[in-house]
Amino acid sequence: MKAQPKASHFVDGAYVEDKAGAPIEVIYPATGEVIAVVHEATAAVVEAALASAKRAQAEWAAMKPVERSRILRRAADMIRDRGDELARLETLDTGKPIQETIVADWPSGADSLEWFAGLAPTVTGETVPLGRDFVYTIREPLGVCVGIGAWNYPSQIACWKAAPALSLGNAMVFKPSEVTPLGALMLAEIFVEAGLPAGLFNVVQGRGAVGASLVTDPRVAKVSLTGSVPTGRKVYAAAADGVKAVTMELGGKSPLVVFDDASVEDAVGAAMLGNFYSAGQVCSNGTRVFVQKGIKARFLERLAARTAGIVLGDPLDEATQMGPLVSAAQLEKVLGYIATAKAEGARLVCGGGRAAPNTGFYVQPTVFADVTDGMTIAREEVFGPVMAVLDFETEEEVVARANDTEFGLAAGVFTADLTRAHRVIARLEAGTCWINAYNLTPVEGPFGGSKMSGVGRENGRAAVEHYTQVKSVYVGMGPVDAPY
Ligand code: NDP
């Protein structure tokens, strides 16, 4: 199995190679085999990417928004036309089952390009009358934006950052995670085929140091990171030094609260989606499932039965519902959390170990019950198919316990009581919430976290605030009234 890209980087409208950079092996997580090798960007590659972005951005910003949008819409159409091929590449890069990548990853990226292409031409300023004089405002692009991606949704993340950035007149230099470097290169290639001028979307490969060199460059106006809280802290601090704008999409330990009156099947289905989709490697997952005592037995019974039916296997087989974790390192990390959960007294309901085939990084879908708030599994982000079920009795109690975390990315509530649903959601400290649903993230809705889970929002109209700045222009219409 090979998925070797034409070259490691995409700079100024073309593939670029520089083998002086350290090699990065791309591993297919289902088998452990090396499917491609790319090289880390050297300082020369980073410089070329930033210089071309800076040059291209000025002309791009001067174009009419509808002209920019036409190109992005074409790119969205091309992504949809090439859906099968792109899904296969995403599966090779991440190990996620093709039944997911064909509907979720690139399709969500295409949605985002299409939606921001539609929105951008409607973004206008305002006029503020001041009697004789007036103020008007212009929403201007920021300039060169840096995007840094995580490995769980590599192509979706690249699109979610590129779509608002480019549609609103910015340029982007994107650094994918070293674990999943392939999808962003395809996006760059598609953009150029769709007519995007050279230099507006560059991809440079590398580990954290390459990301850090982008963040500190004075030509960069904004940094958008999707990653963990520790990395977010470092990148935010580096950006602050240059007083740059940031969007931080970081980790979570989100509560999913199931009240007694909820539909058991719907709540179980949502808890499974919110813990097992993408083998649990989703930042907004509801990994603390609080179940009210009256429904607990039925919930766990249906959860165990339905979890036992999950089909693990070859990610390229359309029947496979769960693939491996993304890397050997992630496998070790998740197995470590499972061992700790057992040692700390959580009750294993199902799963709890590696799954065949052992050449791949597979973990069984795992459920722990009787989890208490202090256990490691209830406090730290696992990023694997491991669900923690906690019991609760009252609304007041569950709200306090759900909020007792440094994270604030997402939260969900299942109940048939309309007023309780809204009352509880209003009190949960999280940026992205669901009522009787979980983990649906349409591009139309803002997405992001509060507390340590992030700063800023992706998607929705809210993203416009984070990829533009307001210029305020005072217009004097009469003589200047100076006291001198
Ligand atoms: P990391 O935080 O390890 O890395 C994120 C990205 O930052 C990678 O591209 C990484 O490069 C890069 N990076 C690392 N150090 C630096 C640095 N000092 N300066 C600049 N860039 C740097 O996250 P993972 O890739 O392991 O992804 C998993 C995490 O992402 C989870 O915690 C998850 O919750 C979070 N996440 C958040 C989402 C959200 O929207 N809120 C969505 C998806 C994931 P490299 O990998 O090459 O070292």
Side-chain angles (χ1 to χ4, degrees), residues 289-415:
V289 182
F290 289 95
V291 180
Q292 205 165 15
K293 283 216 166 138
I295 203 176
K296 178 185 172 185
R298 275 183 299 145
F299 183 92
L300 285 175
E301 182 197 326
R302 288 301 298 145
L303 177 61
R306 288 175 65 176
T307 301
I310 292 177
V311 180
L312 268 78
D314 175 1
L316 290 169
D317 181 343
E318 282 177 18
T320 295
Q321 294 174 321
M322 190 186 284
L325 295 172
V326 76
S327 65
Q330 193 61 19
L331 173 69
E332 288 315 311
K333 187 177 153 197
V334 171
L335 292 175
Y337 276 116
I338 290 174
T340 305
K342 289 175 182 168
E344 290 180 354
R347 177 165 64 86
L348 185 65
V349 175
C350 53
R354 272 193 89 158
N358 277 339
T359 46
F361 312 133
Y362 288 85
V363 170
Q364 295 170 323
T366 297
V367 175
F368 284 103
D370 303 338
V371 174
T372 53
D373 296 347
M375 289 182 187
T376 308
I377 201 181
R379 305 221 64 82
E380 295 182 16
E381 189 176 41
V382 175
F383 236 57
V386 183
M387 189 192 305
V389 180
L390 303 89
D391 311 340
F392 76 94
E393 286 183 24
T394 69
E395 181 180 317
E396 201 58 32
E397 168 207 341
V398 80
V399 166
R401 289 171 59 198
N403 286 338
D404 182 19
T405 166
E406 63 176 8
F407 297 111
L409 184 53
V413 172
F414 269 79
T415 176

Side-chain angles (χ1 to χ4, degrees), residues 219-302:
R219 284 164 290 191
V220 171
K222 188 229 162 80
V223 181
S224 175
L225 170 82
T226 299
S228 60
V229 170
T231 303
R233 269 210 192 96
K234 279 191 237 164
V235 173
Y236 200 176
D241 202 45
V243 198
K244 298 177 200 296
V246 295
T247 301
M248 295 280 145
E249 296 290 354
L250 309 177
K253 191 74 204 174
S254 302
L256 170 54
V257 180
V258 181
F259 285 97
D260 280 346
D261 60 354
S263 150
V264 176
E265 284 307 318
D266 287 344
V268 166
M272 291 174 73
L273 279 172
N275 279 273
F276 299 148
Y277 207 72
S278 295
Q281 302 163 115
V282 182
C283 53
S284 50
N285 272 353
T287 49
R288 290 183 294 145
V289 182
F290 289 95
V291 180
Q292 205 165 15
K293 283 216 166 138
I295 203 176
K296 178 185 172 185
R298 275 183 299 145
F299 183 92
L300 285 175
E301 182 197 326
R302 288 301 298 145

Side-chain angles (χ1 to χ4, degrees), residues 122-187:
T122 73
V123 172
T124 56
E126 58 179 354
T127 307
V128 186
L130 296 168
R132 184 190 59 186
D133 297 349
F134 62 98
V135 166
Y136 69 92
T137 64
I138 309 171
R139 274 220 167 259
E140 295 183 326
L142 300 171
V144 176
C145 302
V146 162
I148 300 177
W151 43 254
N152 59 341
Y153 279 83
S155 301
Q156 184 200 68
I157 290 170
C159 290
W160 279 18
K161 296 189 190 309
L166 297 178
S167 65
L168 293 161
N170 303 282
M172 176 158 274
V173 179
F174 187 81
K175 190 204 82 69
S177 165
E178 76 181 81
V179 181
T180 51
L182 303 179
L185 289 170
M186 287 307 295
L187 180 61

